[in-house]
Amino acid sequence: MTLQLIDVHAGYGRSEVIHGVSLEVPSDGVAAVLGHNGAGKTTLLRAAVGLLKCGAGKVLFDGEDITRLRPSARVARGLAYVPQGQQSFGQLTTAENLQVVADGRKGGKQLIDAQLDLFPALRELLGRRAGLLSGGQRQQLAIARALITRPRTLILDEPTEGIQPSVVAEIEQAITELTRGGDLGVLLVEQHIGFALESAQRYYVLEAGRVTSTGVGGRDSEADVRAALAI
């Protein structure tokens, strides 16, 4: 396992949102977290990446306790986080968005080329400002930017939100290709159940800040997940 959360409690001020959550992300696969709006999914990810302090519990990366490390130190160890909302530098071109992450990294051009191979639609958009891209194109760009850092665990928050089905399929294919290599794990928060289970080796259902159900991923688990979510 690369990333492990052990009995994590987290929240905002005196308001605890996450109550003793434990999960594991495989080093070569996907762990999916599913739940309704307000279940605490984004809060959980923010605690994992260090944007929120844990009130209790531990965050381990390759067995090392990183609970007290700053986000930058976690990124240096191999974590990458793509938050909700297809974030990018809107006034910069697609190429500039990629270059600003690649600058100073060994083999920067090759890292950019690898992401353009993964998301070939971006090649035709290199000269276009990111703010003019569609939601799906911005999401691909956001994931590509994160991958330039060569993470060993990629954390994705709702990557399919508001995106057309064709791009959802492309992102799913990219995740499959990335994890197939055996050196990348993905922690995926997602409301699109079919997409999440198709990609995941294991799923966790979050409700009111607690894991209420967990199991092996795959389409065969969809009925169990829907029952756990009461949908």
Side-chain angles (χ1 to χ4, degrees), residues 4-10 16 18-23 44 54-59:
Q4 294 174 275
L5 277 61
I6 302 173
D7 193 28
V8 166
H9 296 249
E16 185 174 280
I18 300 299
H19 313 288
V21 168
S22 297
L23 61 79
L44 181 67
C54 294
K58 293 182 179 181
V59 180

Side-chain angles (χ1 to χ4, degrees), residues 1-4 58-66 152:
M1 300 296 166
T2 51
L3 182 66
Q4 294 174 275
K58 293 182 179 181
V59 180
L60 305 182
F61 193 69
D62 281 346
E64 177 189 2
D65 189 346
I66 62 170
R152 286 183 295 116

Side-chain angles (χ1 to χ4, degrees), residues 3-41:
L3 182 66
Q4 294 174 275
L5 277 61
I6 302 173
D7 193 28
V8 166
H9 296 249
Y12 305 89
R14 295 184 179 181
S15 177
E16 185 174 280
V17 177
I18 300 299
H19 313 288
V21 168
S22 297
L23 61 79
E24 297 181 344
V25 180
S27 59
D28 58 353
V30 179
V33 178
L34 302 110
H36 296 296
N37 288 335
K41 303 186 300 297

Side-chain angles (χ1 to χ4, degrees), residues 89 94-115 144-150:
F89 296 112
T94 297
E96 290 167 340
N97 266 273
L98 297 171
Q99 191 64 52
V100 75
V101 182
D103 280 347
R105 297 184 185 276
K106 185 177 180 180
K109 183 180 185 304
Q110 289 74 22
L111 290 171
I112 291 175
D113 286 342
Q115 307 323 313
R145 282 163 44 87
L147 290 171
I148 287 174
T149 68
R150 289 179 170 169

